[in-house]
Amino acid sequence: MRYWQVDRRQAEGQLELGRALDLVAAIGHAEVYAMAGAILYR
């Protein structure tokens, strides 16, 4: 199993729409690393 540790940042207010859509689209995606990619590389 792979895992990534993500450092917490201070809350910057609201989540931008494009970012939220990327995260939602990654849920259940056929690519097993889609969620990690949406979190780490945006």
Side-chain angles (χ1 to χ4, degrees):
M1 178 186 339
R2 290 186 169 195
Y3 66 92
W4 295 264
Q5 184 171 349
V6 179
D7 293 330
R8 290 182 179 226
R9 294 188 289 174
Q10 292 290 67
E12 298 174 2
Q14 295 182 357
L15 185 64
E16 64 184 56
L17 181 60
R19 173 107 169 140
L21 290 175
D22 287 346
L23 292 168
V24 171
I27 296 171
H29 195 278
E31 171 60 46
V32 295
Y33 300 119
M35 180 61 82
I39 293 170
L40 296 173
Y41 301 115
R42 173 89 192 231

